[in-house]
Amino acid sequence: MHQFKAVSTVLLCISAALAVAVALADVVTTCSGIVPVRERYDKISITDFGGVGDGRTLNTKAFRAAIYRIQHLRRRGGTLLYIPPGAYLTESFNLTSHMTLYLAKDAVIKATQDTWNWPLVDALPSYGRGREFPGGRYMSFILGDGVHDVIITGENGTIDGQGGIWWDMWRQKTLQYTRPHLIEFMHSKHIIISNVIFKNSPFWNIHPVYCNNVVIRYVTIVAPADSPNTDGIDPDSSSNVCIEDSHIATGDDLVAIKSGWDEYGIAYGRPSSDIIIRRVTGSSPFAGIAVGSETSGGVENVLAEHISLFDMGVGIHLKTDVGRGGFIRNITISDIYMENARKGIKIAGDVGDHPDNNFNPNAIPTVKDIMIKNVWGFKVQQPGLIKGIKNAPFTDICLSNINFYGSQGLKTTPWQCSDVKGSALKVSPWPCTELIGSNDTGLCSILF
């Protein structure tokens, strides 16, 4: 009897342990808790303000009136603006604090293609001019400037930038100012963007700049592969940013972390820091996970993990240039799968252009403490290129457990390295000699 009780006790302990293990396995690691989700008890519809979702009627007055009402009545807990099914054509508009923009299933907010009346705004101080042209820039389609507690969400409704007309102007060289982003938050905090489809942005899709505490989760971002400069998500001089569980397929970098451009970014001096990118899939002729090339304010404390990339130009791209200044440091990129890429990893100090001729050629960026591990790549034409800056080598570049395979029957280009110091462990094909046999000092020895 005692033996039976003992066995029963052991079995119960094992069952309890298994139950705990299963429960822990089901827990999904997330950074989204940095911004709590708020319930809005005050709810209004765009149709209450004359909105018509026929795809032809211009709804600018309806959007501006609804948001004016939210801003000035200031209901306790904020207000939800509901966009019912339909296609709502509108010019650009501003968001306000304590609001949720909620898109129902089959709801579409469409940007007008009347570019002549598109408003202009000042250049960002950390860029000194528009990113494409000197002077100002076109206002982003949906803008939040100096706001807080803002949510853009719904039932996977769509925000459509109808960017084709802008791309054509870019190709035809008829643009006079920098194209508008699809969504931009400036000087803002406590922002959530989730469960929305972003489509055909004129320029960058989601651009939080000078922001703090931003969560971007469960979004889909799409644009044709040949659409120019349609970056997916570009955190810029922002901190505490969480990007998770999203799919991005565009014509430029899927996620690119930035912090200002040459002497303007150096003077503004606001880094991008404490950024997590997790469970993102996508494709692009450019980079999957990128830092730069505008990094003059510095980029630090970045974690990117569990990323799946297909049909890529470069899987992982850290890029800067002489004249940028700033730093790229404490970057960890882990558990990456890529298939069909021209280059697996690129870390380079000769990428990017300059805003003007006033940049300081002695402003040399620092690139150090970079850990890339657990990477698998198939049909990769070149495993990697690491090109530091002469007399200012990139240091503590640590590669671990990386395996790249080329296409059957096609010759692959070997690793290329210069002006770099670091270590490699379990990397195939073997990287450059600069990264072999030196893992006894520095950050790499700690990580290995």
Side-chain angles (χ1 to χ4, degrees):
M1 187 70 176
H2 293 294
Q3 185 178 14
F4 175 78
K5 287 183 178 180
V7 171
S8 298
T9 302
V10 170
L11 290 174
L12 285 171
C13 291
I14 292 172
S15 297
L18 288 172
V20 170
V22 170
L24 290 173
D26 289 338
V27 173
V28 176
T29 301
T30 179
C31 50
S32 59
I34 61 172
V35 183
V37 178
R38 293 182 178 273
E39 178 73 18
R40 311 289 191 199
Y41 297 102
D42 183 46
K43 299 177 182 179
I44 58 177
S45 172
I46 195 67
T47 57
D48 299 337
F49 299 85
V52 179
D54 61 3
R56 299 183 304 275
T57 302
L58 195 63
N59 291 279
T60 309
K61 289 183 179 179
F63 276 99
R64 292 177 180 172
I67 294 168
Y68 181 90
R69 185 265 197 196
I70 296 170
Q71 182 179 9
H72 288 84
L73 285 187
R74 298 182 181 178
R75 299 295 192 196
R76 184 174 182 179
T79 298
L80 181 147
L81 174 57
Y82 178 73
I83 313 300
Y88 297 85
L89 187 69
T90 178
E91 297 171 322
S92 58
F93 60 90
N94 289 278
L95 301 174
T96 190
S97 296
H98 306 300
M99 73 168 287
T100 295
L101 180 63
Y102 189 99
L103 286 81
K105 181 183 178 183
D106 298 323
V108 182
I109 301 176
K110 298 181 72 170
T112 178
Q113 293 187 299
D114 179 8
T115 62
W116 290 101
N117 294 317
W118 205 285
L120 293 171
V121 295
D122 291 338
L124 293 170
S126 58
Y127 282 73
R129 46 161 277 185
R131 186 59 185 83
E132 297 183 285
F133 298 97
R137 60 197 181 108
Y138 288 107
M139 173 184 165
S140 298
F141 176 49
I142 299 177
L143 174 64
D145 187 359
V147 299
H148 59 279
D149 180 25
V150 176
I151 302 172
I152 300 176
T153 190
E155 303 162 39
N156 289 317
T158 300
I159 298 176
D160 184 353
Q162 298 207 96
I165 190 169
W166 296 97
W167 309 333
D168 287 343
M169 287 193 293
W170 179 85
R171 294 180 182 115
Q172 295 160 9
K173 302 186 186 305
T174 57
L175 281 166
Q176 293 182 300
Y177 301 96
T178 298
R179 288 168 284 159
H181 305 303
L182 192 56
I183 305 288
E184 183 174 57
F185 284 95
M186 301 171 54
H187 308 288
S188 299
K189 60 184 179 180
H190 306 308
I191 307 299
I192 298 176
I193 303 173
S194 69
N195 300 95
V196 174
I197 298 169
F198 298 92
K199 180 179 177 183
N200 295 335
S201 175
F203 198 48
W204 303 346
N205 275 270
I206 301 176
H207 185 223
V209 57
Y210 319 138
C211 289
N212 186 45
N213 287 19
V214 178
V215 173
I216 303 169
R217 199 174 187 216
Y218 301 125
V219 301
T220 299
I221 303 174
V222 292
D226 64 348
S227 57
N229 311 109
T230 50
D231 296 30
I233 304 171
D234 287 2
D236 198 340
S237 292
S238 293
S239 57
N240 298 318
V241 179
C242 171
I243 301 168
E244 290 182 331
D245 303 300
S246 297
H247 176 75
I248 307 170
T250 62
D252 213 312
D253 298 344
L254 305 186
V255 179
I257 302 171
K258 304 175 182 291
S259 65
W261 200 10
D262 285 8
E263 68 269 26
Y264 304 104
I266 294 171
Y268 197 79
R270 178 162 179 173
S272 280
S273 63
D274 301 299
I275 295 173
I276 295 176
I277 307 159
R278 181 184 285 129
R279 295 184 299 273
V280 171
T281 66
S283 61
S284 166
F286 288 88
I289 301 301
V291 175
S293 69
E294 306 90 332
T295 56
S296 299
V299 175
E300 63 184 348
N301 305 335
V302 175
L303 170 64
E305 62 181 1
H306 303 294
I307 311 295
S308 297
L309 306 170
F310 303 88
D311 301 322
M312 297 300 307
V314 182
I316 300 163
H317 195 180
L318 279 56
K319 44 188 173 176
T320 185
D321 201 358
V322 170
R324 289 284 191 267
F327 52 81
I328 300 173
R329 66 191 181 204
N330 195 20
I331 312 294
T332 300
I333 300 174
S334 174
D335 297 281
I336 310 297
Y337 175 86
M338 64 183 76
E339 186 174 319
N340 193 23
R342 292 196 310 274
K343 200 181 305 292
I345 297 169
K346 182 176 181 181
I347 307 174
D350 61 352
V351 178
D353 52 355
H354 301 284
D356 49 43
N357 293 324
N358 296 322
F359 71 93
N360 180 4
N362 295 316
I364 306 299
T366 298
V367 179
K368 62 179 294 186
D369 299 346
I370 311 298
M371 178 67 183
I372 302 175
K373 61 183 180 178
N374 303 334
V375 180
W376 297 267
F378 297 89
K379 299 181 182 179
V380 177
Q381 296 176 25
Q382 182 183 19
L385 181 150
I386 306 178
K387 186 176 181 180
I389 297 171
K390 189 174 182 180
N391 300 321
F394 298 166
T395 59
D396 286 325
I397 309 300
C398 314
L399 308 181
S400 174
N401 193 26
I402 296 173
N403 294 275
F404 288 122
Y405 301 90
S407 297
Q408 188 173 6
L410 295 178
K411 186 176 180 180
T412 58
T413 304
W415 283 82
Q416 295 177 325
C417 297
S418 61
D419 299 296
V420 58
K421 297 179 180 179
S423 302
L425 179 68
K426 296 181 181 179
V427 177
S428 176
W430 276 111
C432 335
T433 56
E434 291 90 339
L435 298 177
I436 296 175
S438 58
N439 61 346
D440 54 346
T441 60
L443 174 72
C444 300
S445 63
I446 297 172
L447 293 174
F448 292 164

